[in-house]
Amino acid sequence: MLSAIKQWDDIKRIQAFFSDAESSVSNLPEAERCIAMDKLAEARELVGELDPLQALLEWKGPWERL
C-alpha cells in the first residue's frame, strides 16, 4: 500500500509541475512561449499518461496476491 501512496504522490507532484509550468509559460513573449509549450509537450510525452486513480485501481491488496 505504501508504494501505491508514493506512486499517487509522485503522479500528483508531476501533474502540479506541468500545470504550474503551463501557467508560467503564458506570461512569456510569443516566441519563447511556443518553444516552452513544445518542450512541455515533449516532456508530457516522455512521462506518459499519469492517472493517480488508475494507479490505485491497479494496486493489488494482500487478498488479491494469493
Side-chain angles (χ1 to χ4, degrees):
M1 183 64 193
L2 291 177
S3 66
I5 293 169
K6 183 182 179 332
Q7 186 176 12
W8 180 288
D9 183 55
D10 290 344
I11 291 169
K12 297 302 279 182
R13 188 173 38 81
I14 293 167
Q15 287 175 332
F17 165 80
F18 284 121
S19 179
D20 289 349
E22 286 175 351
S23 294
S24 297
V25 164
S26 66
N27 297 325
L28 293 173
E30 171 114 18
E32 291 177 351
R33 183 171 52 243
C34 289
I35 292 168
M37 290 303 290
D38 287 345
K39 287 182 180 263
L40 279 171
E42 287 179 35
R44 282 186 184 273
E45 188 175 325
L46 180 65
V47 170
E49 183 64 32
L50 298 172
D51 183 356
L53 187 53
Q54 186 62 38
L56 178 63
L57 292 171
E58 290 173 1
W59 174 73
K60 299 216 182 304
W63 58 95
E64 295 174 298
R65 296 174 195 217
L66 300 176

